[in-house]
């Protein structure tokens, strides 16, 4: 089943730039001009001055994502075929119609949040305004949660649900992590505990709109008003999440084709996880049928040994200079606190490949979450803490959308100290994480 097409994507990033009238380039004007250079259909238009009122429609990235979605739908159940005839074509499409366009959309998501928080810095918007804005932005995650509600209430069949979301897995690139449609217990949690997601309308006062219009005018963006700016920011965030959702289906399909091929040659998913895609394709291309298993297993074993060695080497999260290799500096990451809310509850740690437990009223700890973990938002979790991730990461956007308190990217030291905690207090307004045992 093809993913729902988002018509708003056709209008994503319509930037009206009047560089002839801009006497100065503030950070806002620079960001809009910079992102436009990467997205407009005619790149030459991004250089030099543009005619006044010239409208630049940056829809090429979303068109490619939609093209990938159509190809996925037309291929139907090809991911159940273990032969490799289509693998190269699927990889090619995933890169050119998926990951590259997604990287462009991700840039826009970053730009959108930068613009939003710049309005807070200017004193035009409050933190509550920002929370209200994110709550008004409905992404594919909201659809997933609402569809899970329908699934549990027997208003949506499991086959239809899995046709749309079955490709997701906790750990998008982890071949050893089962997909949603490979988890027998998935969707069998108590319906009464599910979170109901409703989009809230975003509204600001006339004086705020007037002030934003004035800032845009000062930057030479006189044809871009506050309404269009907020529409751009919302569409950028939606487009980023939709793009990732679509290309992750291709990634999941690639992994399943490889896994089923491995089964035919007596190779486990764990063994395959230590083989790079290039090595895999090279062995398949240049080996006789009877040699494939031996050669792939040899590569897997060698790479597994290298993983064990590298895992034993402790390095700082960020290498600033050569000396950091020998004397490891103590680095403490500052989490990105999402919302201004507070949560104090029992905690639970999740890992990819585990059966979904009940998370109701729990504060959830995940190392590095991706779309495959979006099912957690269907339950009434009290908060979220991740080891890795930034202010514009997948889970940061999700928690802002659902207005859930979160600490994203708290770092190795702090995260490890929280794993054994039974009760954690998370106060986002005070930027505080405290073990309450």
């Amino acid at each position: 089943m093809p993913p729902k097409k988002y018509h708003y994507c056709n209008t994503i990033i319509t930037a009206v730039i009047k560089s002839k009238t801009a006497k100065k380039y503030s950070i806002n004007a620079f960001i809009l001009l910079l992102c436009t250079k990467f997205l407009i259909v005619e790149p030459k238009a991004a250089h030099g001055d543009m005619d006044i009122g010239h409208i630049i429609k940056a829809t090429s990235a979303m068109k490619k994502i939609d093209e990938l979605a159509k190809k996925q739908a037309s291929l139907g159940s090809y991911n159940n075929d273990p032969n490799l005839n289509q693998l190269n074509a699927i990889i090619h499409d995933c890169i050119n119609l998926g990951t590259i366009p997604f990287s462009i959309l991700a840039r826009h998501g970053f730009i959108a949040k930068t613009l939003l928080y710049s309005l807070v810095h200017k004193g035009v918007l409050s933190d509550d305004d920002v929370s209200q804005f994110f709550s008004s932005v409905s992404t594919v995650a909201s659809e997933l949660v609402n569809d899970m509600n329908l699934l549990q209430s027997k208003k949506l069949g499991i086959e239809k649900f899995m046709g749309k979301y079955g490709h997701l897995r906790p750990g998008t690139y982890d071949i050893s992590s089962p997909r949603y449609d490979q988890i027998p217990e998935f969707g069998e949690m108590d319906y009464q505990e599910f979170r109901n997601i409703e989009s809230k309308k975003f509204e600001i006062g006339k004086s705020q709109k007037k002030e934003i219009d004035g800032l845009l005018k000062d930057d030479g963006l006189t044809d871009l008003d506050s309404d269009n700016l907020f529409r751009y920011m919302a569409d950028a965030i939606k487009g980023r999440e939709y793009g990732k959702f679509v290309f992750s289906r291709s990634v999941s399909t690639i992994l399943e084709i490889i896994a089923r091929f491995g089964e035919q040659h007596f190779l486990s998913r764990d063994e395959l996880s230590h083989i790079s895609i290039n090595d895999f394709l090279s062995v398949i291309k240049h080996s006789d049928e009877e040699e494939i298993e031996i050669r792939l297993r040899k590569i897997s074993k060698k790479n597994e040994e290298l993983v064990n060695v590298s895992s034993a080497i402790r390095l700082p999260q960020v290498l600033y200079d050569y000396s950091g290799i020998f004397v490891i500096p103590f680095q403490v990451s500052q989490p990105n606190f999402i919302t201004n809310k507070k949560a104090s509850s029992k905690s639970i740690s999740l890992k990819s490949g585990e059966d979904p437990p009940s998370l109701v009223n729990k504060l959830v700890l995940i190392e590095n979450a991706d779309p495959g973990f979006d099912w957690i938002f269907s339950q009434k979790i009290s908060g979220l803490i991740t080891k890795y991730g930034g202010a514009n990461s997948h889970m940061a956007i999700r928690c802002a959308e659902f207005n859930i308190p979160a600490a994203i990217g708290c770092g190795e030291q702090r995260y490890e100290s929280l794993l054994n905690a039974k009760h954690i207090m998370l106060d986002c307004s005070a930027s505080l994480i405290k073990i309450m045992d």
Side-chain angles (χ1 to χ4, degrees):
M1 176 181 176
K4 177 180 176 182
K5 182 175 180 180
Y6 286 76
H7 296 289
Y8 57 71
C9 294
N10 293 327
T11 58
I12 188 173
I13 335 308
T14 299
V16 182
I17 296 183
K18 298 175 64 176
S19 59
K20 281 187 176 181
T21 62
K23 296 182 180 180
K24 62 179 181 178
Y25 286 95
S26 71
I27 185 63
N28 291 2
F30 175 76
I31 288 174
L32 283 172
L33 183 59
L34 178 64
C35 74
T36 301
K37 291 176 67 176
F38 287 93
L39 283 155
I40 57 176
V41 179
E42 298 178 3
K44 291 181 180 179
H47 298 278
D49 290 333
M50 286 170 271
D51 294 334
I52 291 180
H54 185 76
I55 300 178
I56 302 169
K57 295 183 179 179
T59 60
S60 58
M62 282 310 309
K63 285 181 179 179
K64 288 182 178 179
I65 293 293
D66 286 336
E67 183 181 349
L68 179 60
K70 290 178 182 178
K71 285 196 171 188
Q72 292 169 346
S74 66
L75 288 172
S77 59
Y78 71 100
N79 58 330
N80 292 318
D81 184 357
N83 74 65
L84 304 181
N85 294 336
Q86 295 171 303
L87 187 57
N88 282 311
I90 296 171
I91 293 173
H92 178 272
D93 288 343
C94 183
I95 294 172
N96 294 283
L97 301 178
T99 53
I100 292 177
F102 166 72
S103 69
I104 295 172
L105 297 173
R107 176 183 293 272
H108 275 282
F110 174 80
I111 292 167
K113 291 192 73 174
T114 300
L115 290 173
L116 188 65
Y117 284 112
S118 73
L119 292 175
V120 176
H121 180 72
K122 291 277 189 180
V124 181
L125 297 180
S126 67
D127 290 334
D128 288 339
D129 289 329
V130 172
S131 295
Q132 184 187 359
F133 172 79
F134 282 120
S135 296
S136 72
V137 179
S138 178
T139 69
V140 289
S142 297
E143 285 190 26
L144 170 61
V145 171
N146 290 331
D147 283 344
M148 286 191 73
N149 287 333
L150 294 176
L151 177 66
Q152 295 301 313
S153 61
K154 310 301 181 183
K155 296 179 181 178
L156 179 66
I158 186 68
E159 185 176 342
K160 189 172 182 180
F161 178 88
M162 289 303 178
K164 186 174 182 180
Y165 305 107
H167 69 282
L168 296 173
R169 68 178 83 219
T172 299
Y173 306 98
D174 186 358
I175 195 172
S176 61
S177 177
R179 295 161 38 125
Y180 282 8
D181 57 13
Q182 295 170 341
I183 303 175
E185 301 83 5
F186 190 90
E188 295 181 1
M189 293 164 282
D190 185 1
Y191 167 70
Q192 296 299 324
E193 305 291 3
F194 276 61
R195 179 187 298 269
N196 187 31
I197 302 300
E198 295 182 1
S199 297
K200 302 176 182 178
K201 187 177 180 181
F202 175 69
E203 294 180 340
I204 57 173
K206 291 182 179 180
S207 60
Q208 290 172 297
K209 287 186 176 183
K210 185 176 180 180
E211 192 169 355
I212 293 172
D213 290 340
L215 290 172
L216 292 170
K217 183 178 179 180
D218 290 342
D219 289 333
L221 304 173
T222 54
D223 288 345
L224 183 66
D225 60 17
S226 58
D227 289 336
N228 285 326
L229 178 64
F230 282 112
R231 189 176 299 114
Y232 157 74
M233 292 189 290
D235 287 351
I237 294 171
K238 293 176 184 178
R240 176 193 187 276
E241 298 306 303
Y242 174 67
K244 191 168 188 177
F245 177 82
V246 172
F247 95 75
S248 67
R249 181 183 293 274
S250 291
V251 172
S252 189
T253 296
I254 291 167
L255 294 179
E256 289 309 299
I257 291 177
I258 293 173
R260 289 187 172 93
F261 182 87
E263 289 176 7
Q264 288 189 337
H265 293 81
F266 309 102
L267 294 164
S268 68
R269 287 178 180 257
D270 183 64
E271 288 175 311
L272 292 169
S273 69
H274 297 291
I275 302 172
S276 71
I277 187 68
N278 289 333
D279 284 342
F280 179 83
L281 294 174
S282 177
V283 169
I284 300 303
K285 183 178 180 180
H286 300 104
S287 303
D288 294 330
E289 183 68 21
E290 60 271 13
E291 294 179 328
I292 291 176
E293 177 188 348
I294 297 173
R295 293 189 64 186
L296 288 177
R297 181 166 281 116
K298 184 178 180 180
I299 293 173
S300 175
K301 186 175 181 180
K302 179 181 177 181
N303 288 341
E304 183 179 9
E305 291 173 353
L306 292 175
V307 168
N308 292 334
V309 171
S310 62
S311 298
I313 299 173
R314 190 171 184 84
L315 291 172
Q317 296 181 54
V318 180
L319 277 171
Y320 293 99
D321 52 40
Y322 183 71
S323 63
I325 298 175
F326 303 100
V327 180
I328 302 174
F330 182 74
Q331 297 173 348
V332 178
S333 300
Q334 177 61 31
N336 298 279
F337 290 95
I338 311 299
T339 78
N340 291 312
K341 299 176 70 176
K342 181 178 179 179
S344 181
S345 59
K346 293 181 179 179
S347 59
I348 184 171
S349 175
L350 292 183
K351 294 182 180 179
S352 61
E354 294 181 339
D355 292 336
S358 175
L359 307 178
V360 179
N361 297 324
K362 300 285 183 63
L363 199 153
V364 179
L365 284 79
I366 310 178
E367 278 202 7
N368 187 15
D370 55 28
F373 280 100
D374 281 353
W375 64 269
I376 70 174
F377 296 113
S378 65
Q379 299 193 41
K380 297 178 181 178
I381 65 172
S382 63
L384 177 69
I385 296 176
T386 70
K387 184 176 182 179
Y388 303 113
N392 294 284
S393 65
H394 178 82
M395 280 301 173
I397 292 173
R398 291 294 194 251
C399 290
E401 177 182 354
F402 298 141
N403 200 27
I404 295 173
I408 306 298
C410 67
E412 184 176 359
Q413 292 87 357
R414 186 173 299 179
Y415 184 84
E416 296 298 326
S417 69
L418 296 172
L419 285 179
N420 295 323
K422 296 180 180 179
H423 194 117
I424 297 175
M425 188 270 286
L426 171 63
D427 188 346
C428 294
S429 62
S431 300
L432 180 65
I433 306 174
K434 185 177 180 181
I435 295 175
M436 304 297 289
D437 296 354

